Amino acid sequence: MAADPAAHAATPRRRLISRLRPSGEHLLLAAAAFYVGVLCVLPLARLFMEALGGESGGIAFIWEIATSRAARIATWHSIEASLGSVLVSIVIGTAFALIIGLTDVRLRAPLVFTLLLPMLIPAQITALAWLELTGPASTILGPLGFAPAPGTRNWLYSREGIILLMGIEHSTMVFLAVRAGLRGLPRDLIEAAQAAGAKPARVILAIILPLLRPALIAGAALAFVGAIGNFGIPAILGIPGRYPMLTALIYQRLSGFGPKVLGDVAALSMILALLAAAGLLVQFLASGRRHVTVTGFTALGPVYRLGRWRPLVEMVLWVTLLFIAVLPLLALVGTSLVQALGVALDLETMTWAHYATAFANDAVRRALVNSLWLAAAAAAASLLVSLPLGYLITCRRSRPAQVLSAIADAPFALPGIVLSIAMILTFLKPLPIIGVSLYGTAAIILIAYLARFLASGLRPTIAGMAQLDPALEDAARVAGAGLIRRLTTIIFPMAAPAAIAGALLIFMSAYNELTVSALLWSTGTETIGVMIFNLYDEGNATAAAAASVLSLLVTLSAAGLASLLARRLPYGVLPWQA
């Protein structure tokens, strides 16, 4: 039978149409590109346009702002304090990483979790906790007779106080980087040195530390970037201590003069962005040098047994953690329970009145609810985006998806206050079509959170999907399962624990967040981080302490939920996994 010419001619047309019809993967990629473009690319592009080419922008204008007396002082203070804090971070982070990673100390998981507490606690609460610990009304040092005399100015209101607290907070970055570097070192090389008679100190100085140099530099660079963008500590300690830093200067300018100085603060934001970019460049160059060439390889684990010195070493570790992580929190709790500052805390003077006062405050109640739903919404939305984007990156090896992942890192890497300025510039004017401005609404805070924390949810998801066996999806594809069916029945369920852990990490970060929301909130859209800062700024230290304790309970509860998933997660998803 002769073939039908019309049917034969239609076949190429069908093939062309099927090729032109977008596949499910293309639709996922397009949706992810739109999400990342609107949340990450558009605001940052608007910031650079305002700073470099706005009505008052341009290189000359940025130079004029940057060379003003206030900006020069704040810039120097930011660099000086950040570099000083990096030194503190290197000492603490490296020492703990070497001891925990190379020796047979016990209770590693509790040690690591306690060390990482400053990372889980927002900067403004860290500053408040230390002020309550070291102040004249300290509920910890007072009964011991070590508290300063009443009326004495707290020494933390100084350059040294800022350096110390930022160094402690960001020592976690150095610790995590050095610990990751230790796990990649060859045990065989160290054992060969030990067999040749090298003492532990010589092995560490001559072999381990040189090999760890890239990881150490990368961790120090990340600590520098974190310090440059820190707002809570410079605001609470630096403003009253007359030690202005760039983040606090931007906050004071915008909160004092409003949107009319957006050009000025955009220029100041560019200075912050350049300093952060310099730190990120150092981190990138250091990470690129993490190569160890050996002929044999065995993963490094504890290589030194402490013997009779182990109890002493463990005691030093726990005493150090007691001072830098535990006592400040206990002082904060004590302040929230004492009747009034300066009154000794005991069973007779203990009161829950400050918690009742906090709950009776409409703004505090609003802030607790706002933070809860904003953090939950940011975590849920990031979870929904991270799963398909992680699939495209890990399972499909999509180059465009990898580019989107790199772009999503930018709002997370840049100082939060820079992102705030970008959001204000983007959403200050009414939106097209609907004619509504998002400035001063909860929506702009949520959008900022979605941009800020997408990278935090994407990394654990990618780590979880990297461990999936590709044969499972291949078998489903051969069996005729479409993309949606493969994703919903195979990929997403197996990657869910890692993705949920990432969502919990986002919730913990967003719930107490201050750096981004400090410039975006308005009456009715307060967050708990903003309220704690405002309460302390008003002089109500006891109410601020009570609100801080309440917010910490929420954060630590989320950390507990994440820990329940630990056994089903790839190593490294939860930073405190020992």
Side-chain angles (χ1 to χ4, degrees):
M1 175 183 276
D4 185 358
H8 182 74
T11 300
R13 287 198 298 270
R14 291 195 192 99
R15 291 175 180 172
L16 179 61
I17 292 172
S18 69
R19 289 178 181 176
L20 294 177
R21 183 183 297 129
S23 66
E25 292 179 13
H26 290 152
L27 292 175
L28 286 180
L29 184 61
F34 178 79
Y35 185 92
V36 173
V38 171
L39 295 182
C40 303
V41 178
L42 180 62
L44 295 181
R46 182 69 182 86
L47 172 65
F48 285 102
M49 288 173 57
E50 178 67 26
L52 299 176
E55 296 179 359
S56 59
I59 300 297
F61 176 72
I62 294 177
W63 179 255
E64 179 185 348
I65 295 296
T67 54
S68 65
R69 184 174 185 275
R72 281 189 288 108
I73 293 174
T75 301
W76 167 245
H77 286 173
S78 296
I79 296 173
E80 178 185 42
S82 297
L83 290 175
S85 71
V86 167
L87 295 178
V88 177
S89 298
I90 289 175
V91 172
I92 297 175
T94 305
F96 271 87
L98 291 176
I99 294 173
I100 292 176
L102 296 178
T103 70
D104 59 343
V105 292
R106 296 163 291 189
L107 301 176
R108 294 169 183 274
L111 276 171
V112 173
F113 183 82
T114 307
L115 177 65
L116 296 184
L117 274 178
M119 182 181 71
L120 303 177
I121 298 170
Q124 71 275 14
I125 295 182
T126 296
L128 292 178
W130 274 87
L131 286 173
E132 299 306 330
L133 174 65
T134 59
S138 174
T139 57
I140 302 295
L141 300 183
L144 299 176
F146 296 133
T152 303
R153 182 177 177 81
N154 197 312
W155 67 272
L156 289 176
Y157 292 119
S158 63
R159 175 188 62 184
E160 291 73 20
I162 294 173
I163 288 175
L164 175 65
L165 265 60
M166 290 201 306
I168 291 173
E169 181 178 3
H170 301 126
S171 64
T172 57
M173 299 179 182
V174 177
F175 170 80
L176 293 173
V178 174
R179 186 177 66 164
L182 276 173
R183 292 182 179 276
L185 293 185
R187 186 186 184 98
D188 303 3
L189 190 63
I190 297 173
E191 289 179 344
Q194 290 175 321
K199 299 295 184 182
R202 182 170 178 79
V203 172
I204 292 174
L205 294 175
I207 297 177
I208 295 178
L209 286 181
L211 292 175
L212 285 177
R213 188 179 296 119
L216 185 56
I217 294 174
L222 290 176
F224 176 81
V225 173
I228 281 290
N230 196 306
F231 171 69
I233 292 173
I236 289 180
L237 300 183
I239 293 176
R242 300 185 181 276
Y243 188 81
M245 294 173 63
L246 278 172
T247 51
L249 178 63
I250 292 172
Y251 168 78
Q252 288 179 300
R253 288 274 178 92
L254 194 58
S255 60
F257 298 99
K260 66 182 180 181
V261 295
L262 274 175
D264 292 8
V265 296
L268 293 173
S269 297
M270 291 299 297
I271 303 174
L272 264 182
L274 289 174
L275 291 174
L280 291 173
L281 178 62
V282 172
Q283 186 267 340
F284 174 78
L285 294 175
S287 298
R289 296 175 56 196
R290 291 187 191 180
H291 299 291
V292 178
T293 303
V294 292
T295 56
F297 183 84
T298 305
L300 184 67
V303 293
Y304 295 115
R305 298 193 175 277
L306 297 174
R308 59 192 177 94
W309 293 101
R310 185 165 70 171
L312 178 61
V313 172
E314 292 172 343
M315 183 183 71
V316 171
L317 293 179
W318 281 110
V319 168
T320 302
L321 292 178
L322 179 69
F323 278 98
I324 68 175
V326 179
L327 284 183
L329 295 183
L330 293 179
L332 188 69
V333 174
T335 301
S336 71
L337 295 174
V338 74
Q339 290 180 353
L341 293 179
V343 177
L345 179 63
D346 54 37
L347 293 178
E348 294 182 357
T349 60
M350 187 174 69
T351 178
W352 299 96
H354 303 304
Y355 291 92
T357 301
F359 274 115
N361 187 318
D362 291 339
V364 173
R365 287 203 311 272
R366 242 187 350 254
L368 288 168
V369 174
N370 287 341
S371 291
L372 187 64
W373 80 260
L374 284 170
S382 299
L383 171 67
L384 294 177
V385 174
S386 297
L387 282 168
L389 186 54
Y391 167 78
L392 293 174
I393 293 171
T394 308
C395 301
R396 307 313 302 161
R397 307 293 182 187
S398 169
R399 288 292 181 86
Q402 294 171 2
V403 172
L404 292 178
S405 175
I407 294 173
D409 285 337
F412 182 76
L414 288 174
I417 208 159
V418 174
L419 180 62
S420 306
I421 302 299
M423 291 295 169
I424 294 173
L425 289 168
T426 305
F427 298 107
L428 178 63
K429 295 180 179 179
L431 295 176
I433 302 177
I434 62 175
V436 176
S437 172
L438 299 184
Y439 181 65
T441 68
I444 193 172
I445 300 177
L446 178 59
I447 292 172
Y449 285 1
L450 293 176
R452 177 76 167 170
F453 299 115
L454 175 59
S456 299
L458 188 58
R459 291 170 185 170
T461 304
I462 291 175
M465 288 189 176
Q467 293 195 340
L468 300 183
D469 186 353
L472 296 174
E473 187 190 9
D474 292 341
R477 185 185 293 109
V478 171
L483 176 64
I484 300 300
R485 186 172 179 81
R486 297 198 308 273
L487 291 177
T488 56
T489 60
I490 298 176
I491 303 297
F492 290 173
M494 297 184 69
I500 292 172
L504 287 171
L505 292 176
I506 291 175
F507 179 87
M508 292 162 56
S509 300
Y511 185 79
N512 291 304
E513 196 280 330
L514 173 65
T515 306
V516 173
S517 55
L519 297 180
L520 302 179
W521 74 280
S522 62
T523 302
T525 63
E526 305 93 337
T527 63
I528 191 60
V530 168
M531 278 308 305
I532 291 170
F533 179 77
N534 288 345
L535 286 171
Y536 189 82
D537 193 46
E538 296 167 0
N540 196 347
T542 51
S548 299
V549 172
L550 291 174
S551 65
L552 286 180
L553 289 176
V554 175
T555 301
L556 295 179
S557 297
L561 289 176
S563 297
L564 294 177
L565 297 171
R567 293 183 179 180
R568 301 185 60 186
L569 299 177
Y571 178 80
V573 168
L574 297 181
W576 55 87
Q577 282 178 280

